Amino acid sequence: MIAECLVVEFEVEGDDCPLAAATRATDARIEARPPQLREDGNVLLQFSAPTDEALRETLDDDDRIRYLHVADGRQEATYRCLSKHPCVVHELVSAGCMVESLQYEGGRALVMGAVVGRTVLQGVMERAGDTVGVKLRRAYQLQSESEPSLTQQWDITPKQEACIQAALEVGYFDVPREATAQEVADHLDISKSAFLERLHRAERTLFRQLFL
């Protein structure tokens, strides 16, 4: 039995998949579930983004997208569709990366997942080297399942936890403040608006559990 499991984050640049192309053409930020590859090579996609008519039109005009369905919410829309264009993510999965979530912004993709052992990670990296620009942003050992993570304890998302940790590390919560929101966002390699949105959502969740 292999005792080590690593949490990994990959950054993908240069992929021409529909979601990357759509965020390259618009200002949208997309949060996606792992794509589901069908036997015929087509891919089932489910993702969400702040309500954006330009994104909707871009996807609707993409000949590689079929059966696009959009469910509008108060602040964001949920998209479901079929893509005729497999993306680089499938190469990482084939090499052993268990993809858990994806984020697309500005034509780039951030892939978050896990690999079992460093040997598998090496294989994933070798497979990634044969594709478009894929680089490993970070890898760290998954903590014991018997020790609940902050996300499990407080019902916040991994991305919200990362924002809180980064803000603490660079002094965003210090008095006087040692870092600006933009500096924390740059540290996370996300937009300022994305950082503030995740931070405020996490604060709301935490405060509700503490005081209500």
Side-chain angles (χ1 to χ4, degrees):
M1 182 176 69
I2 299 176
E4 184 180 47
C5 184
L6 300 171
V7 177
V8 293
E9 291 184 6
F10 290 98
E11 184 177 303
V12 181
E13 288 196 48
D15 191 8
D16 61 347
C17 76
L19 299 190
T23 61
R24 191 179 298 116
T26 68
D27 293 328
R29 184 182 70 256
I30 291 175
E31 305 282 348
R33 293 186 179 182
Q36 300 178 48
L37 183 63
R38 304 196 325 180
E39 287 185 356
D40 59 7
N42 293 328
V43 183
L44 300 177
L45 300 176
Q46 181 175 341
F47 51 95
S48 61
T51 303
D52 186 333
E53 190 62 31
L55 173 63
R56 189 174 311 196
E57 292 177 357
T58 299
L59 291 168
D60 204 26
D61 291 341
D62 193 326
D63 292 337
R64 300 170 297 177
I65 295 293
R66 293 287 187 274
Y67 312 114
L68 178 66
H69 178 269
V70 184
D72 289 315
R74 289 186 177 179
Q75 296 181 333
E76 66 178 23
T78 299
Y79 297 74
R80 294 175 176 85
C81 65
L82 179 145
S83 170
K84 299 175 66 176
H85 185 91
C87 62
V88 172
V89 172
H90 300 296
E91 298 290 337
L92 302 180
V93 171
S94 295
C97 179
M98 293 171 279
V99 175
E100 296 178 355
S101 65
L102 302 96
Q103 175 186 317
Y104 293 88
E105 187 172 13
R108 295 182 302 169
L110 181 61
V111 182
M112 287 149 284
V115 296
V116 179
R118 296 188 180 274
T119 300
V120 176
L121 177 59
Q122 182 178 352
V124 173
M125 292 302 300
E126 291 174 354
R127 186 71 168 264
D130 295 329
T131 66
V132 296
V134 179
K135 66 179 180 180
L136 180 65
R137 287 184 46 168
R138 64 173 179 160
Y140 57 92
Q141 188 163 355
L142 182 68
Q143 64 183 6
S144 172
E145 294 289 348
S146 61
E147 300 176 6
S149 65
L150 289 178
T151 59
Q152 294 172 320
Q153 288 177 304
W154 297 102
D155 196 28
I156 61 176
T157 69
K159 292 178 184 177
Q160 291 170 356
E161 179 184 351
C163 284
I164 293 174
Q165 290 179 335
L168 285 169
E169 289 173 5
V170 302
Y172 179 77
F173 295 118
D174 291 354
V175 179
R177 184 165 286 171
E178 296 292 332
T180 65
Q182 184 62 62
E183 289 171 333
V184 183
D186 292 342
H187 180 74
L188 292 164
D189 198 22
I190 60 176
S191 67
K192 176 182 175 181
S193 60
F195 162 68
L196 290 174
E197 178 184 349
R198 294 175 192 177
L199 182 64
H200 292 159
R201 286 180 181 273
E203 290 173 337
R204 182 179 61 186
T205 299
L206 291 171
F207 292 159
R208 279 179 174 175
Q209 293 179 72
L210 287 171
F211 298 113
L212 295 182

